[in-house]
Amino acid sequence: MRLSIVSAAVACVLLTACGGAERPAAGTSSVSEPLPPGAIAFDYDSHLYFDALVADSLPARLVFDTGAVQLSLDSLWFERHAGAFDGMRIGCAVMRGAGQQAEVARMLLDSLAFGIDTLRWQSSMPVIHDLKKILGRKIDGIFGQQFLDGRCVAFDYRRGSMRAVSPDTLAAAGYRRIPARKEGCRIYFPMRIRFDAGHTVEGDFLLDTGCGLAAIVATAAADKAGLELMEGMKLPYETASGGVGGRAESYVCRAAEVALGEYTLRDVVVEVSRNGTGFLASKEADCGIVGNGILERFDFAVDFRAETAALWVRPAERFAEPFALRSPGFVMIDRTDVGEGYVVTGLYAGCAPAGLAAGDEVFEWDGQPIGSLPDSAICRPGHHRFLARRGELVTEYETNYKEIL
């Protein structure tokens, strides 16, 4: 690879990490049922994971992120396949995302081909960034909605399938159309979040399949609505890995209603940004972000065409299920690809074990190596003991995995 230092600004949301959601997630989509004709399979586990080939021969697990601008590759995955990129020019990119700080990343200055199932694309200037520090070992890269431009695409989270459809087919199948606006690589649509009788946030929210949460209210929208003054529990959350840009501050609370078109979800767990910088503190965020925690409650489709941009929704089986925030009091991601355990990335104030900090590596859970345990054992409700390492120091902690909100 030839190093050519060229700076470019890359403005994107890029993978909002899960704060107000269980980590690790306890369930994934099932593809045991036959997929519809022409459908492409994905695994759903808070995010949409697609099996892809990069440069025609390199297997990679790519997350579909409608908040992203272009193809991005994880830096560790890239280093493991560095020989395949010999001769390509590399520059630098300044990236801004859901975290509070701009970050400098490498960027390939040449185009790169990648494909998913029968779909093939060329990505200009893909970014190389440490994505595993946000979502863990499962992610090798992300691709954005620009690669689906010109299509109307339906997503089935339960079966894990994506397929092109026509709006007429959706209308005939009982989907309801919510008009949207497309600005560059972003799609916004109207939604209303009523927290209580005196506090409502209503307006345009960004569609973001790179967000594993239900919704995040942007800082300015929260201030305008006076959410700091509303009654009810507001659980502070701070993370070192809130997405590209790193550190993020927020609080998690329950909204009485979330209205999406003619449909209303009740008692929804919502995160409220307290960031002073980054995407969620910018005008581009509008009212905030709608993520997979809400989208998974629907069979939904997105018309990515600028002239007919829309969200199509129909309640799915999980529509009326209660929204839960079950947690041991902290968030951790699987990094057994580079170490023994899971790395703590965020903590809920007053709920996390005293002394635990972001960056600590949890390597033993209930007397067993954590990397050998299924999600169901880690997420089991009740009392747990675990060991965490900080440098050479090993500390034993106790916690309860329970509903914390």
Side-chain angles (χ1 to χ4, degrees):
M1 290 171 286
R2 301 194 301 276
L3 182 62
S4 176
I5 304 299
V6 177
S7 179
V10 180
C12 47
V13 179
L14 278 177
L15 289 171
T16 308
C18 294
E22 298 177 1
R23 297 307 302 159
T28 58
S29 58
S30 170
V31 293
S32 58
E33 301 177 32
L35 297 184
I40 293 174
F42 61 81
D43 288 332
Y44 177 60
D45 183 2
S46 295
H47 295 81
L48 286 68
Y49 293 86
F50 289 82
D51 290 324
L53 285 178
V54 176
D56 297 324
S57 61
L58 305 176
R61 294 272 284 177
L62 303 182
V63 166
F64 177 56
D65 181 359
T66 54
V69 175
Q70 72 252 76
L71 177 68
S72 295
L73 299 173
D74 173 69
S75 54
L76 181 58
W77 180 92
F78 183 81
E79 295 301 332
R80 288 172 174 168
H81 300 284
F85 304 99
D86 283 345
M88 289 191 173
R89 299 169 299 153
I90 294 185
C92 296
V94 178
M95 303 178 67
R96 298 176 178 87
Q100 297 197 65
Q101 303 298 319
E103 296 187 14
V104 177
R106 288 174 292 171
M107 169 184 281
L108 290 177
L109 301 179
D110 300 305
S111 294
L112 183 64
F114 72 103
I116 297 171
D117 200 278
T118 59
L119 301 176
R120 296 289 182 272
W121 298 289
Q122 287 280 338
S123 177
S124 61
M125 296 193 295
V127 174
I128 305 159
H129 186 68
D130 191 358
L131 298 172
K132 292 183 188 294
K133 75 177 182 181
I134 303 173
L135 289 189
R137 67 177 180 86
K138 286 177 61 175
I139 186 173
D140 297 322
I142 64 177
F143 69 105
Q145 59 96 358
Q146 70 178 75
F147 300 107
L148 299 181
D149 271 353
R151 295 180 172 91
C152 184
V153 182
F155 299 86
D156 184 334
Y157 281 30
R158 184 180 64 85
R159 289 197 290 181
S161 72
M162 174 182 82
R163 65 189 178 101
V165 295
S166 73
D168 289 344
T169 299
L170 295 170
Y175 288 73
R176 296 292 184 263
R177 183 180 186 271
I178 301 174
R181 63 180 172 91
K182 186 172 183 180
E183 293 189 2
C185 66
R186 297 182 179 131
I187 291 180
Y188 298 85
F189 62 92
M191 193 174 77
R192 183 179 72 255
I193 303 179
R194 185 177 69 83
F195 291 88
D196 57 25
H199 299 89
T200 297
V201 175
E202 184 171 9
D204 287 347
F205 285 76
L206 175 71
L207 175 70
D208 188 7
T209 59
C211 175
L213 310 177
I216 306 177
V217 176
T219 305
D223 291 342
K224 182 178 179 180
L227 298 189
E228 285 289 347
L229 300 177
M230 70 180 178
E231 297 181 355
M233 183 177 182
K234 295 187 284 286
L235 182 60
Y237 176 71
E238 186 168 344
T239 177
S241 184
V244 170
R247 185 173 172 271
E249 298 177 60
S250 63
Y251 59 83
V252 184
C253 58
R254 287 190 177 273
E257 296 178 347
V258 173
L260 185 63
E262 64 186 67
Y263 302 110
T264 300
L265 296 160
R266 304 189 188 281
D267 200 26
V268 181
V269 176
V270 174
E271 191 163 309
V272 178
S273 171
R274 302 316 302 151
N275 288 351
T277 58
F279 179 81
L280 286 164
S282 70
K283 292 182 179 179
E284 288 79 12
D286 272 14
C287 287
I289 291 172
V290 177
N292 294 322
I294 283 178
L295 297 175
E296 70 180 10
R297 302 303 178 101
F298 295 91
D299 298 323
F300 82 98
V302 183
D303 191 336
F304 291 103
R305 298 170 295 181
E307 66 278 8
T308 55
L311 187 70
W312 290 81
V313 295
R314 180 182 67 183
E317 290 181 3
R318 295 194 58 206
F319 180 80
E321 285 186 11
F323 284 81
L325 178 54
R326 300 186 186 95
S327 170
F330 59 95
V331 174
M332 56 183 176
I333 57 172
D334 184 353
R335 290 315 310 268
T336 52
D337 55 326
V338 293
E340 293 184 68
Y342 286 54
V343 175
V344 176
T345 58
L347 301 100
Y348 294 99
C351 298
L356 191 69
D360 290 353
E361 181 189 26
V362 177
F363 64 92
E364 185 177 294
W365 193 266
D366 291 335
Q368 299 294 321
I370 195 169
S372 68
L373 296 175
D375 288 353
S376 58
I378 300 171
C379 299
R380 175 182 55 79
H383 183 265
H384 297 273
R385 292 179 180 268
F386 64 94
L387 296 180
R389 180 184 292 112
R390 185 184 305 165
E392 298 298 320
L393 177 67
V394 173
T395 305
E396 182 179 42
Y397 296 95
E398 297 184 38
T399 192
N400 282 302
Y401 200 103
K402 62 181 182 178
E403 178 69 44
I404 62 173
L405 185 66

